[in-house]
Amino acid sequence: MRRKVTVVGAGNVGATVAHRLADKQLADIVLIDILEGVPQGKGLDLLQAGPIEGYDVHIQGTNDYRDTANSDLVVMTAGFPRKPGMSRHDLLKANYEVVKTTIEKVVTHSPECILIIVTNPLDAMAQTALRVSAFSRNRVIGMAGVLDTARYRTFIAEALKVSVQNVQGFVLGGHGDTMVPVPRYTTVAGIPVTELLPPQTLEAIIRRTAGGGAEIVNYLKTGSAFYAPSAAVVEMIDAIFHDRRKILPCAVYLEGEYGIDGLFVGVPVKLGARGIEEIIEIKLSPEERAALHKSAEAVKELVQIIGV
Ligand code: APR
């Protein structure tokens, strides 16, 4: 039997996740949104691409949470974009309400699902979903690290004029300007990147990675990135549904790992059938550890505001 994925929010990220899931035939898909007609229209349009693309997965758009029942996995993309004049804190409170109310409905109908959270501010929204769902932490995963790492890998591949497939590494920390790319653990076809690029080039790449989301927002003016974010979500779903036990950087609720307790922070985890199968604790230098803790502090400030 095919798996079932619900995507909450039929906007740019949500609809593109649905599109990529269908192309890969990973699951039947339910697209749900508060807007009437939008998920239905996009769902039907995606369904009608099936005969051309050759997929048989079913795609349904709805406003009714009963249609989401018994989903294996739910992707949360619902939320407001940041509007001009809106502070980060205003956005935090507005999206907190959206995530809280939608997760309540989602988990009533799919008590066994795995949750992947995409709504920003990512780490605080993942923490909201964990509290509201009362799921065990292996089933509540924030998507940030895979995206941030993809940006980092893209810039390194460009600088070296090599295939992006040659570049391996990860970005730690919260999803924001305090994220921590780790050159010491970044390799290009097995060669440490520090042997291939001068420190100033790497520093520029790290800065560009940390501002990667803002760079795209500045171009788009309205809205934010969605092609790479949706690809990142689907890589995580593929790892879970195929029980690949793939090591990917994800936002996860730490309970003492890396000396951080009670906060969602991005670290490498093993993703498999149960969601987070294992949190990988790597050795960090004192500077890397300090940067990770600084990033965790930024997450803490947000979760304290919304009290989750
Ligand atoms: N229930 C369901 N859907 C909702 C709700 C709600 N309570 N509130 C808002 N939505 C829907 C909107 O109607 C919209 O269709 O969420 C969708 C968000 O889509 P976009 O505005 O296109 O935003 P998108 O680019 O998809 O980003 C979604 O992901 O990367 C993050 O920062 C980004 O938080 C944002 C999220």
Side-chain angles (χ1 to χ4, degrees):
M1 217 173 74
R2 266 197 296 269
R3 314 283 180 121
K4 179 171 176 180
V5 171
T6 286
V7 181
V8 186
N12 279 338
V13 178
T16 317
V17 166
H19 185 178
R20 293 188 190 282
L21 283 175
D23 274 348
K24 291 187 187 282
Q25 307 197 46
L26 274 172
D28 288 333
I29 302 149
V30 177
L31 202 51
I32 189 163
D33 201 287
I34 200 164
L35 297 176
E36 282 176 26
V38 170
Q40 288 87 344
K42 290 188 182 182
L44 189 58
D45 194 9
L46 281 167
L47 187 69
Q48 292 166 353
I52 304 167
E53 295 295 333
Y55 54 72
D56 286 303
V57 296
H58 193 264
I59 304 150
Q60 181 195 1
T62 185
N63 307 112
D64 185 344
Y65 279 84
R66 283 174 297 189
D67 294 326
T68 70
N70 301 318
S71 293
D72 297 288
L73 189 144
V74 176
V75 183
M76 171 57 57
T77 77
F80 296 101
R82 194 160 153 196
K83 299 195 188 93
M86 203 177 189
S87 75
R88 223 174 251 276
H89 288 176
D90 292 341
L91 179 72
L92 171 71
K93 286 182 183 157
N95 280 352
Y96 166 71
E97 286 303 324
V98 169
V99 170
K100 181 171 168 281
T101 51
T102 50
I103 291 286
E104 273 165 4
K105 291 182 215 155
V106 155
V107 301
T108 309
H109 294 281
S110 300
E112 304 299 329
C113 73
I114 290 174
L115 294 168
I116 295 184
I117 311 302
V118 185
T119 306
N120 274 315
L122 190 273
D123 308 275
M125 292 305 104
Q127 192 134 335
T128 302
L130 180 83
R131 299 285 186 243
V132 173
S133 65
F135 282 3
S136 57
R137 65 171 176 162
N138 63 301
R139 288 202 284 143
V140 185
I141 315 164
M143 187 293 292
V146 178
L147 168 63
D148 296 329
T149 302
R151 288 176 174 151
Y152 178 59
R153 290 170 63 197
T154 303
F155 301 146
I156 289 173
E158 266 188 347
L160 287 168
K161 299 191 173 48
V162 299
S163 165
V164 289
Q165 293 182 24
N166 279 154
V167 185
Q168 294 296 329
F170 51 83
V171 173
L172 299 173
H175 185 48
D177 359 328
T178 58
M179 69 179 73
V180 191
V182 196
R184 219 160 50 84
Y185 286 114
T186 307
T187 58
V188 180
I191 309 160
V193 74
T194 44
E195 305 271 316
L196 299 172
L197 283 174
Q200 58 275 29
T201 308
L202 271 172
E203 276 157 29
I205 287 174
I206 288 170
R207 268 199 307 279
R208 191 170 174 202
T209 302
E215 184 177 359
I216 289 172
V217 169
N218 286 339
Y219 281 124
L220 294 178
K221 306 282 189 294
T222 55
S224 48
F226 55 98
Y227 290 116
S230 58
V233 169
V234 172
E235 182 179 30
M236 291 164 66
I237 297 176
D238 175 85
I240 293 167
F241 282 178
H242 290 116
D243 193 20
R244 292 196 195 279
R245 290 155 191 262
K246 200 170 189 177
I247 296 179
L248 292 170
C250 297
V252 53
Y253 189 71
L254 296 182
E255 292 175 328
E257 298 88 357
Y258 292 92
I260 298 168
D261 196 18
L263 273 183
F264 265 83
V265 179
V267 297
V269 302
K270 202 186 277 178
L271 278 192
R274 291 180 306 161
I276 293 163
E277 301 282 346
E278 190 185 335
I279 294 173
I280 314 283
E281 268 194 276
I282 48 160
K283 268 198 201 135
L284 295 179
S285 69
E287 295 76 30
E288 289 158 352
R289 199 177 163 84
L292 181 64
H293 278 250
K294 187 170 165 229
S295 190
E297 279 304 310
V299 176
K300 196 172 183 179
E301 270 178 37
L302 297 185
V303 300
Q304 279 175 343
I305 293 169
I306 51 175
V308 293

